[in-house]
Amino acid sequence: MSTSRLPLKKYPLNRAFCFFESGPVLLVSTLRNGRANIMTISCHMSMGFTPLIGCMIGPWNHSYNALIETGECVLSVPGVDLLETAVAIGNTSGADIDKFAEFGLTPRKGAKVGAPLIAECLALVECVVRERPEHHEMFVLEGVAAWRNTERKEQRTFHARGDGHFIIDGETVNLRDKMVKWQDCI
Amino acid sequence: MSTSRLPLKKYPLNRAFCFFESGPVLLVSTLRNGRANIMTISCHMSMGFTPLIGCMIGPWNHSYNALIETGECVLSVPGVDLLETAVAIGNTSGADIDKFAEFGLTPRKGAKVGAPLIAECLALVECVVRERPEHHEMFVLEGVAAWRNTERKEQRTFHARGDGHFIIDGETVNLRDKMVKWQDCI
């Protein structure tokens, strides 16, 4: 796993919920028996400021058993320059290929979990499995360390519509002064 | 509640997950004791094709008790022309005002639940509460009827970043032919 210098900087954990709340496509990396893997997800939500993140990962995903067995993963937010890579990751299986090698991504050692950071992503959170609600293939993940790539030019994320179309971030509007009820959170 | 003709058309329920999967800001409408209310949410995720939608609504929200007592709501996707309205809805309380009247929105009777459709929105799903996982202020909602405003020019949605900034949809990219593993879903 690479330990070379890459422009990832530690980020305040209690602000990391802002990486996910807009619903971008995420990459989930795991490490089991020395083998790293990556999957792509779009079904996730912010569940708390810790941060807590709920996400849907089922036994039909090769990463499912790694997540169950190790209780750890990294959630990474890819920029739009990684759109086709994220789709390719979501349409191949870690049972067949080494996705880091196949897609030219750089695994980097994190601070708190064994699963690798994906150095090319723009924001990353190391997570542990906090809970598994019954009846659904849902994991509640708790972030334990956060990182941000501060030198990356492309900061736009992308969102899956669920029908094979992807929506790229457009304009960002600042309405902080209208959030009168939530000034403590923003 | 208005029954006048508005350009909402029934939409295939098993395709309605595509309204939510990209993570747009949603409006949640409820009806309790003859009084309609609306809240704004950004923490939700697609949990299944039924559709099932997980969302975070806590007792700090005035809509919480209405949702608990009636077991019903409507999830509506506002277009970007409703961005400031959605933020204003999220920063006022139904304990103080009638939000439909205050914000000039049109309640319309749905097909399956008592909670009103918001006629100005671009996509809507009537929902019943299917489950309440323990330990979190989470509801699992099941869609029972879906609608789409087919005559609306503005189809862009918007996403909350959680820090008072909102990301408006930009370009949409069609990568259906790359979704080789998921052709049955898209």
Side-chain angles (χ1 to χ4, degrees):
Chain A
M1 201 179 290
S2 168
T3 54
S4 64
R5 187 165 169 71
L6 284 160
L8 291 178
K9 291 196 177 141
K10 271 291 191 82
Y11 193 82
L13 193 55
N14 65 353
R15 301 303 297 167
F17 69 95
C18 295
F19 296 165
F20 308 122
E21 190 152 328
S22 66
V25 168
L26 301 179
L27 301 178
V28 183
S29 48
T30 50
L31 181 73
R32 183 172 60 147
N33 301 332
R35 186 158 180 196
N37 191 29
I38 317 174
M39 69 174 291
T40 304
I41 63 168
S42 54
C43 300
H44 62 83
M45 68 176 168
S46 178
M47 296 181 75
F49 297 113
T50 316
L52 288 178
I53 307 104
C55 60
M56 304 300 289
I57 298 174
W60 52 87
N61 300 120
H62 187 66
S63 300
Y64 177 83
N65 285 331
L67 200 51
I68 296 277
E69 284 178 28
T70 66
E72 296 181 349
C73 67
V74 173
L75 297 181
S76 302
V77 185
V80 69
D81 49 301
L82 293 173
L83 169 53
E84 296 227 7
T85 300
V87 171
I89 287 170
N91 282 276
T92 47
S93 173
D96 308 319
I97 56 168
D98 173 345
K99 296 198 195 179
F100 276 96
E102 179 80 15
F103 300 114
L105 298 171
T106 311
R108 179 171 166 179
K109 197 167 169 13
K112 298 281 184 74
V113 306
L117 306 175
I118 304 171
E120 286 76 10
C121 285
L122 60 87
L124 310 93
V125 178
E126 300 179 44
C127 293
V128 297
V129 176
R130 182 56 57 214
E131 220 172 299
R132 295 205 52 219
E134 284 178 8
H135 307 310
H136 294 286
E137 301 304 351
M138 177 177 167
F139 290 81
V140 180
L141 304 174
E142 180 177 346
V144 291
W147 303 83
R148 183 149 191 121
N149 186 329
T150 50
E151 292 174 28
R152 206 177 201 288
K153 281 184 193 159
E154 180 57 86
Q155 289 286 329
R156 291 177 302 164
T157 68
F158 54 94
H159 308 253
R161 210 166 67 182
D163 60 356
H165 291 74
F166 294 83
I167 301 168
I168 298 169
D169 288 352
E171 185 190 357
T172 296
V173 180
N174 181 352
L175 293 176
R176 286 173 67 94
D177 62 334
K178 311 273 190 196
M179 301 290 283
V180 292
K181 224 170 131 180
W182 308 99
Q183 285 294 318
D184 291 347
C185 307
I186 61 174
Chain B
M1 201 180 289
S2 167
T3 53
S4 65
R5 188 166 170 70
L6 285 159
L8 290 179
K9 292 199 177 141
K10 274 290 192 83
Y11 193 82
L13 192 55
N14 65 354
R15 299 303 299 167
F17 69 94
C18 295
F19 296 166
F20 308 121
E21 191 153 327
S22 66
V25 167
L26 301 179
L27 301 177
V28 183
S29 49
T30 50
L31 182 73
R32 183 172 61 145
N33 302 330
R35 188 159 177 193
N37 191 29
I38 317 174
M39 70 175 291
T40 304
I41 63 168
S42 54
C43 300
H44 61 82
M45 69 175 169
S46 178
M47 297 181 74
F49 298 113
T50 315
L52 288 178
I53 308 105
C55 59
M56 304 300 289
I57 298 174
W60 52 87
N61 299 119
H62 186 67
S63 300
Y64 178 83
N65 285 330
L67 199 51
I68 296 277
E69 284 178 30
T70 67
E72 294 180 351
C73 68
V74 173
L75 296 181
S76 300
V77 185
V80 70
D81 49 300
L82 293 173
L83 168 54
E84 297 229 6
T85 300
V87 171
I89 287 170
N91 283 276
T92 48
S93 173
D96 309 320
I97 57 169
D98 173 346
K99 297 198 194 180
F100 276 97
E102 180 80 15
F103 300 113
L105 297 171
T106 311
R108 177 170 166 179
K109 198 167 169 11
K112 298 280 184 73
V113 306
L117 306 176
I118 304 172
E120 286 76 10
C121 285
L122 60 87
L124 311 93
V125 177
E126 301 179 43
C127 293
V128 296
V129 176
R130 181 56 59 212
E131 219 172 299
R132 297 205 51 221
E134 283 179 10
H135 307 307
H136 293 286
E137 301 305 351
M138 176 178 167
F139 290 82
V140 179
L141 305 174
E142 180 176 345
V144 291
W147 303 82
R148 184 150 192 120
N149 185 329
T150 49
E151 292 175 28
R152 208 177 200 287
K153 280 184 192 160
E154 181 57 85
Q155 290 286 329
R156 290 177 302 164
T157 68
F158 53 95
H159 309 252
R161 211 167 64 180
D163 60 356
H165 291 74
F166 294 83
I167 302 167
I168 299 170
D169 288 351
E171 185 191 355
T172 296
V173 180
N174 181 350
L175 294 178
R176 288 175 66 95
D177 62 334
K178 311 271 190 196
M179 301 290 282
V180 293
K181 221 169 132 180
W182 308 98
Q183 287 293 319
D184 290 347
C185 307
I186 60 174

